[in-house]
Amino acid sequence: MVDGLYMLENKASLAVIESMKTVRELSWSGVPSYMRPDVWRLLLGYASPNSDRRDGVLTRKRLEYLECVSQYYDIPDAERSDDEINMLRQIAVDCPRTVPDVTFFQQQEVQKSLERILYTWAIRHPASGYVQGINDLVTPFLFVFLSEYLEEDMETWSIVDLSPQKISNIEADCYWCLSKLLECMQDHYTFAQPGIQRLVFKLKELVRRIDEPVSRHMEEQGLEFLQFAFRWFNCLLIREIPFHLVTRLWDTYLAEGDALPDFLVYIFASFLLTWSDKLQKLDFQEMVMFLQHLPTQNWTYQELEMVLSRAYMWHSMFNSSPNHLAS
Amino acid sequence: MDLSTSQPEFDYLFKLLLIGDSGVGKSSLLLSFTSDTFEDLSPTIGVDFKVKLVNLGGKRLKLAIWDTAGQERFRTLTSSYYRGAQGIIMVYDVTRRETFTNLSDVWAKEIDLYSTNQDCIKMLVGNKVDKESERVVTKKEGTEFAREYGCLFLECSAKTRVNVEQCFEELVLKILDTPSLLAEGSTGVKRNIFKQKPPQPDPSASTCC
């Protein structure tokens, strides 16, 4: 499934790969898990591609995160505004119910880390603040950066085994990577979420172009794309596929870089049309319920790779025609 | 599959809506009602939807229930779901005072703004009574709010399922008692409640290219 990865491995260490373009191209098809922390930090532009400077920059960034936490999070409520208190309260309500089906995230210390990351991010991004679903987006980063220190099986992980220094570094990496990821999606989480509204509209147009019968059926039944695809864009499909496949999906996301929002439209069209035949047999109510609980529980890399390669193909076919999405 | 040609499986179809602050247990209440289970759920993003068939007042009823996200940021999205609802359930958490005060500060106003149905039945539900030791909102306060606002009231626990069915049953029985709502829910017009369109972004302002 991931030929590119082995090429990446054979080319020895990342330090010798000068070209970020090559890293992106190879990462698109999946990154071996032991390289993922380094590759993700590079792809997001958090770690410097220049290996001489890399450690220095990371050390500085991690210190900066610690300073933010002590300045914004580790303060008494009396020093917070009402809005900030409300935001912290909302984050505290959401952390325990973040990916509730993965037991690792039920550990109290993990939830505390999540709370610090989210609150610090929200305070530093006042145009959006904390929006539900951003909590989901931190979880792949937490998993990947923890995997640098903890052994194979996530179910057996215990965050208390790690030193405070390590936990703080992991949190900082999650914080900065989340910030970088959301840089190209700022208006997805601001008032009325115009960025998501725009992409849902593009998705509807693309699906109409690719699969007219299913598009017509959905329209006849009165099904709105917002009724199911809003969550897809808001949580980047984390809610729709098993957690163990999420990091592979994110290899492709992060390889896309700034082009990610537009490419999401192709991935989600491909994801939706996995069930093209099925959808055409359902009425409105059945469709809404089907789309909100898609049968992906037993998915393996194979199904996911199919979604991604079809998205790639459609992107090559349709993205080159200049007015393909004009209605 | 096509409802217009086959024998309808129900006499009336009603559209219900769940609203209230984030984390009060709207989705848990709905899950408890539709599938008799309780589990930890992720926060709802946008809206969720479930259907339940019930027999009440000698009628076969299909309940189409929209479950909305509580966070303020999603309100532009959720506001379109008030339209055409015959029943609205306002949920608060008896262990969190602010979820109760927000009923008058936020949720009653949302209903005034977006509900299109004058006769729409409203029901106030205080959830999480299983956490009796953590209770901060008394039953009396709930009763008083309901009297003032003119709505039904019950306390329940989605976790222990105490009063869960009653919440929906009382609401639906009141809908069945209201001729204008009954007319809307009759099978002849059943498709219409789904044809409502959520607001769309202005395509001319937002497409690529």
Side-chain angles (χ1 to χ4, degrees), chain B residues 52-156:
Chain B
K52 176 142 174 151
L53 286 162
V54 292
N55 288 306
L56 267 179
K59 303 285 182 207
R60 292 167 308 165
L61 309 174
K62 187 169 194 170
L63 307 178
I65 309 165
W66 290 98
D67 174 24
T68 62
Q71 203 190 7
E72 189 169 1
R73 183 51 42 87
F74 300 117
R75 240 162 257 166
T76 35
L77 194 74
T78 54
S79 60
S80 63
Y81 290 85
Y82 290 71
R83 198 186 316 160
Q86 281 88 31
I88 298 179
I89 301 178
M90 291 180 280
V91 188
Y92 68 95
D93 174 352
V94 298
T95 71
R96 280 164 63 212
R97 166 72 52 187
E98 76 275 10
T99 67
F100 182 72
T101 52
N102 275 343
L103 293 170
S104 50
D105 293 348
V106 174
W107 298 107
K109 289 176 187 159
E110 293 277 306
I111 294 177
D112 287 345
L113 274 173
Y114 302 115
S115 173
T116 52
N117 208 327
Q118 283 286 318
D119 298 326
C120 169
I121 309 297
K122 281 149 265 181
M123 169 122 212
L124 178 66
V125 172
N127 188 29
K128 306 195 189 179
V129 292
D130 53 286
K131 296 183 180 175
E132 191 55 45
S133 61
E134 294 170 46
R135 179 199 279 272
V136 293
V137 182
T138 65
K139 189 169 182 177
K140 188 157 170 280
E141 287 175 288
T143 312
E144 273 165 17
F145 180 91
R147 190 183 299 130
E148 240 171 76
Y149 191 64
C151 64
L152 303 165
F153 172 60
L154 268 180
E155 285 191 337
C156 78

Side-chain angles (χ1 to χ4, degrees), chain B residues 13-26:
Chain B
L13 169 61
F14 295 127
K15 174 181 171 180
L16 309 180
L17 185 69
L18 283 158
I19 59 172
D21 275 11
S22 178
V24 297
K26 299 178 291 298

Side-chain angles (χ1 to χ4, degrees), chain A residues 43 70 92 95-96 158 174 180-182 210 215 243 245 300 307 318:
Chain A
L43 288 173
S70 64
C95 286
S158 171
C174 292
K180 293 283 185 183
L181 173 73
L182 294 182
I210 295 170
S215 172
F243 191 74
L245 297 180
T300 62
V307 168
F318 292 103

Side-chain angles (χ1 to χ4, degrees), chain A residues 80-92 119 130, chain B residues 98 102:
Chain A
R80 299 184 213 275
S81 70
D82 285 351
D83 282 349
E84 288 167 356
I85 288 173
N86 281 333
M87 195 158 69
L88 183 55
R89 202 183 269 162
Q90 180 70 63
I91 291 170
Y119 184 74
Y130 170 70
Chain B
E98 76 275 10
N102 275 343

Side-chain angles (χ1 to χ4, degrees), chain A residues 157-175:
Chain A
W157 284 4
S158 171
I159 194 172
V160 286
D161 297 344
L162 299 175
S163 68
Q165 176 68 49
K166 279 178 183 160
I167 292 176
S168 151
N169 287 352
I170 291 163
E171 270 182 40
D173 289 5
C174 292
Y175 169 83

Side-chain angles (χ1 to χ4, degrees), chain A residues 89-90 97 100 128 130 132 189-190 193 198 201-202 220 224 227 239 281 284-286 292 322, chain B residues 1 22 41-43 47-49 62 71 73-74 81 98 194-195 197-198 200 203 206-209:
Chain A
R89 202 183 269 162
Q90 180 70 63
R97 44 188 196 146
S128 63
Y130 170 70
Q132 290 178 326
Y189 301 100
T190 52
Q193 302 183 261
R198 191 170 60 236
F201 179 79
K202 282 189 183 183
E220 280 167 5
E224 293 291 335
Q227 284 162 339
R239 301 269 184 106
K281 298 188 186 100
F284 172 88
Q285 296 176 7
E286 294 163 332
Q292 291 192 336
Chain B
M1 209 60 72
S22 178
L41 301 170
S42 303
V47 288
D48 210 335
F49 176 74
K62 187 169 194 170
Q71 203 190 7
R73 183 51 42 87
F74 300 117
Y81 290 85
E98 76 275 10
F194 298 125
K195 293 289 182 183
K197 297 228 184 275
Q200 291 290 313
S206 61
T207 41
C208 71
C209 316

